[in-house]
Amino acid sequence: SNRTVAFKHRSFADFFCAEEWLHTNEWAVDARALDPYWATVYFFAVGLLADCEPVLKELLGLRPTSVMERLGKLLTAPTYLLAGHMTPYRVVEVNLPKLLLEAAKFYIDVSSGRFPSELDRLSPIHLLWVMQYLLRDKYGYEFFRKAIDSAAIAVSDAIEDDSVKAHALFFLGAVGIDLAYPDAMRFLADKYKPSELSIGLAIAVTAESEKAQPQKVAS
């Protein structure tokens, strides 16, 4: 009676908000893109823009200022890349290794207690499991598969501590296994001996490498 349209699912409102942003030229890339509350609006906006390399570069170049913003970037960045799938693929190839290195640094900072947060309640091995699960969920699409090899090389050649690179390669390898492409995990296992890794990471790499081995058929 009051001529108000209501939607049961918020995604409708998010879509119309994104459309209004673009229609009125109110588009702005800022820290809201790292906030789950606004992430779907940005996702739809990127999708509506289609080929939007400059916008994706801005989104992926955002610098988080808190633990939750850092986590937000890890979870939203792959969805923005998927939404902008009509953008030249070089954006994925350039940014995938950077995002994995950020994920590795985030894990190390939080698990070491360097940046106190609510995640402190998790043990390092539990946090590692949660991280690889989330990254598998976000990157486990065929869209990312052809960037795996170049990402592994870029991570390996990065000017970072071996611990950071090893964790980044582990996350990449976990994604690869879900995409039936275990080469990245094998690359990590060949590059680092178990004694060169933390106990938790060594256990995880061994377990994932075993899962990636071809299964023998009983005669």
Side-chain angles (χ1 to χ4, degrees):
S1 59
N2 60 3
R3 298 188 179 185
T4 299
V5 177
F7 299 101
K8 290 184 177 181
H9 199 288
R10 182 185 152 169
S11 60
F12 286 100
D14 289 336
F15 175 81
F16 290 128
C17 180
E19 196 170 41
E20 178 70 10
W21 274 4
L22 301 180
H23 180 70
T24 59
N25 200 29
E26 293 182 2
W27 172 267
V29 174
D30 53 44
R32 289 176 298 174
L34 308 178
D35 186 335
Y37 184 86
W38 289 99
T40 306
V41 179
Y42 279 89
F43 171 82
F44 283 129
V46 171
L48 289 167
L49 285 169
D51 185 348
C52 54
E53 186 170 352
V55 170
L56 280 174
K57 285 183 177 179
E58 282 191 79
L59 285 167
L60 301 176
L62 286 171
R63 296 181 177 275
T65 59
S66 68
V67 169
M68 294 315 296
E69 282 190 357
R70 290 176 72 182
L71 180 60
K73 182 175 181 180
L74 297 180
L75 299 181
T76 58
T79 65
Y80 296 149
L81 288 170
L82 286 167
H85 68 277
M86 295 182 69
T87 301
Y89 198 72
R90 61 176 175 266
V91 175
V92 177
E93 294 172 325
V94 168
N95 285 282
L96 180 57
K98 294 179 182 178
L99 293 168
L100 291 169
L101 287 167
E102 286 188 37
K105 291 176 184 178
F106 175 81
Y107 169 76
I108 292 170
D109 285 344
V110 173
S111 64
S112 67
R114 192 178 307 165
F115 288 88
S117 72
E118 294 183 1
L119 297 173
D120 289 344
R121 69 186 67 179
L122 301 177
S123 68
I125 190 67
H126 191 181
L127 179 61
L128 183 64
W129 184 88
V130 170
M131 287 280 297
Q132 63 84 31
Y133 176 85
L134 291 174
L135 293 172
R136 279 175 131 139
D137 179 62
K138 296 297 181 180
Y139 287 103
Y141 295 88
E142 192 67 24
F143 175 72
F144 293 107
R145 179 171 175 168
K146 66 179 181 179
I148 290 178
D149 285 343
S150 61
I153 294 171
V155 168
S156 181
D157 292 342
I159 304 175
E160 299 286 354
D161 291 341
D162 281 344
S163 179
V164 172
K165 294 195 286 187
H167 281 86
L169 287 172
F170 170 71
F171 294 141
L172 179 63
V175 171
I177 288 174
D178 275 13
L179 294 174
Y181 190 72
D183 289 23
M185 189 64 74
R186 292 173 183 155
F187 178 77
L188 169 60
D190 291 341
K191 184 175 178 62
Y192 295 99
K193 299 177 181 178
S195 60
E196 297 175 313
L197 306 174
S198 65
I199 294 176
L201 183 57
I203 292 172
V205 170
T206 300
E208 293 293 342
S209 296
E210 289 177 353
K211 286 198 297 184
Q213 296 297 323
Q215 298 297 312
K216 294 182 179 180
V217 179
S219 56

